[in-house]
Amino acid sequence: YLAIAADPDTTTPTVENSFDVVTYDGQNSGSGQTRDIISDFKPDFVWIKNRNVNTVRHQLFDSVRGVGNVLMSDGTDAESFDSTSLISFNDNGVTLGYNGNVDLSGRSYVAWMWKAGDHDDNLPQINTEGSIDSVVSVNDEAGFSIVKYTGNGTQGATVGHSLSSPPELIIWKNTDATANWLVYSPLIGSDSEWLYLNATSSKQDSGSQNEYPTNKTNPTSDVVTINGAGSSNNINISGESTIMYCFTSITGYQKVGSYTGTGVSGLDVSLSFSPRFLLVKGVGSTGWILIDSQRGSKELYANLSDAEDASATAFVLGTNKFTVNSTGTWHNSYDVDYIYLAIK
């Protein structure tokens, strides 16, 4: 064999260069142009959503799956390739093509960007800690990793995630098949219940252990346990690829948390940092709400292609907290539990 060393680490990720929110107006006319979206770092996970057209779907890209490979959180679609979408991950952002889902004159967009790779080339790592080997790009200091693996169909198989503590929020998608996006957090329920990112469904509680994404086994600091071939949730089908986004809380930077609705407007949820990003869903039949500091209280929905709700005022991002100024079912219904991901 011939073995050659990878480039040495020269830029260790820090929380200061691990997440960014960028809003921009489309400029491409559809005639083959490209444009750069600037950030302070080289991102590994980029989530783009059009803000002003109802039919334009969410566009999710990551460096592990490769440029041009797109997933859409508002549906069950398998991964598709589009050479006119995200063209490259750059040292200071990304280059986009002329696809109207990411850049078109007359449209406005938001891009949420995460850094996962731990060196300049963003080379993924091979993780062999589980019974299934995984390809991982990880930013442990920021509590985030991107994990890709090929299912083996075995109930209770394990996959390494490369974080130093158990993931508190996991989002899966089978990239080869039409399948739901799965979301697990111990905060969803006491018995490994799960949610669908692409739907407003209440938390799921199946009678069959094999249906539970984590096979009713809590993630450890090394691995995530996954269900088997008999599951309809499709994250461990033999020979099929699945992507897994893992998050864990980091004091002063990121929080996977929950709150219980009071039914009274003005509910404050305390944090150890001032958030720039918020993803919220009730464990009942509510949508997945996306808020960020660039757009204020305006709401987008991970499970819907809808344009931004510019009239929304329910969530206010504040100093070391966010405030829920609503009594609505999707925001602050009495005695209903809500889970959230907040990032500085």
Side-chain angles (χ1 to χ4, degrees):
Y1 62 86
L2 172 66
I4 302 174
D7 287 349
D9 294 358
T10 58
T11 305
T12 301
T14 65
V15 294
E16 287 76 19
N17 67 358
S18 294
F19 177 76
D20 202 3
V21 182
V22 180
T23 55
Y24 60 97
D25 292 326
Q27 66 180 28
N28 282 326
S29 62
S31 57
Q33 300 153 292
T34 63
R35 59 115 34 111
D36 292 335
I37 303 300
I38 303 301
S39 180
D40 292 332
F41 55 86
K42 186 174 186 177
D44 290 280
F45 177 36
V46 178
W47 184 337
I48 297 174
K49 179 66 179 77
N50 171 270
R51 301 172 57 190
N52 62 342
V53 179
N54 275 326
T55 57
V56 181
R57 302 179 65 186
H58 293 259
Q59 307 289 296
L60 281 70
F61 308 90
D62 65 68
S63 61
V64 175
R65 292 183 295 114
V67 296
N69 292 311
V70 60
L71 290 168
M72 293 171 280
S73 65
D74 53 302
T76 60
D77 313 55
E79 177 185 85
S80 59
F81 177 76
D82 191 328
S83 61
T84 66
S85 57
L86 190 148
I87 294 173
S88 66
F89 296 95
N90 305 327
D91 288 341
N92 62 342
V94 294
T95 298
L96 303 178
Y98 57 89
N99 186 297
N101 292 326
V102 296
D103 187 36
L104 188 64
S105 179
R107 296 180 177 180
S108 58
Y109 301 83
V110 60
W112 302 293
M113 302 185 186
W114 286 261
K115 181 173 179 58
D118 62 352
H119 41 62
D120 284 350
D121 285 346
N122 287 25
L123 296 174
Q125 305 169 5
I126 304 300
N127 184 305
T128 61
E129 293 179 311
S131 60
I132 297 175
D133 289 350
S134 58
V135 179
V136 182
S137 186
V138 60
N139 183 346
D140 194 35
E141 185 167 354
F144 173 61
S145 68
I146 305 168
V147 182
K148 182 179 179 180
Y149 64 90
T150 300
N152 64 7
T154 301
Q155 183 172 353
T158 55
V159 179
H161 54 72
S162 293
L163 295 173
S164 58
S165 59
E168 296 172 271
L169 180 71
I170 304 171
I171 302 173
W172 291 268
K173 179 68 177 74
N174 181 318
T175 60
D176 288 335
T178 300
N180 286 311
W181 289 78
L182 306 184
V183 181
Y184 163 82
S185 171
L187 300 173
I188 294 172
S190 59
D191 195 24
S192 300
E193 288 96 340
W194 71 98
L195 295 164
Y196 296 125
L197 184 66
N198 54 286
T200 60
S201 309
S202 300
K203 65 180 181 180
Q204 304 296 301
D205 187 352
S206 171
S208 170
Q209 179 172 340
N210 196 41
E211 290 297 315
Y212 289 80
T214 59
N215 203 46
K216 288 194 174 183
T217 304
N218 291 329
T220 70
S221 57
D222 298 315
V223 299
V224 176
T225 301
I226 55 177
N227 60 29
S231 169
S232 62
N233 281 326
N234 296 311
I235 61 169
N236 189 16
I237 303 300
S238 182
E240 294 185 359
S241 293
T242 293
I243 198 75
M244 184 168 70
Y245 303 114
C246 298
F247 302 85
T248 195
S249 297
I250 302 293
T251 301
Y253 168 72
Q254 178 167 274
K255 177 67 174 178
V256 179
S258 65
Y259 65 89
T260 301
T262 61
V264 178
S265 183
L267 170 64
D268 285 337
V269 180
S270 297
L271 300 168
S272 62
F273 56 89
S274 299
R276 289 187 293 155
F277 174 85
L278 186 64
L279 173 66
V280 178
K281 188 192 185 307
V283 299
S285 299
T286 70
W288 292 86
I289 301 171
L290 291 155
I291 301 291
D292 62 68
S293 57
Q294 294 297 307
R295 299 179 303 110
S297 297
K298 300 171 184 177
E299 295 179 1
L300 286 166
Y301 308 100
N303 56 290
L304 297 172
S305 65
D306 293 25
E308 176 181 87
D309 184 353
S311 65
T313 59
F315 288 103
V316 176
L317 304 181
T319 302
N320 295 332
K321 68 178 182 179
F322 64 88
T323 301
V324 193
N325 288 323
S326 171
T327 61
T329 303
W330 284 31
H331 310 99
N332 184 21
S333 188
Y334 175 71
D335 207 32
V336 172
D337 292 329
Y338 298 81
I339 66 166
Y340 65 84
L341 170 66
I343 304 175
K344 180 177 179 180

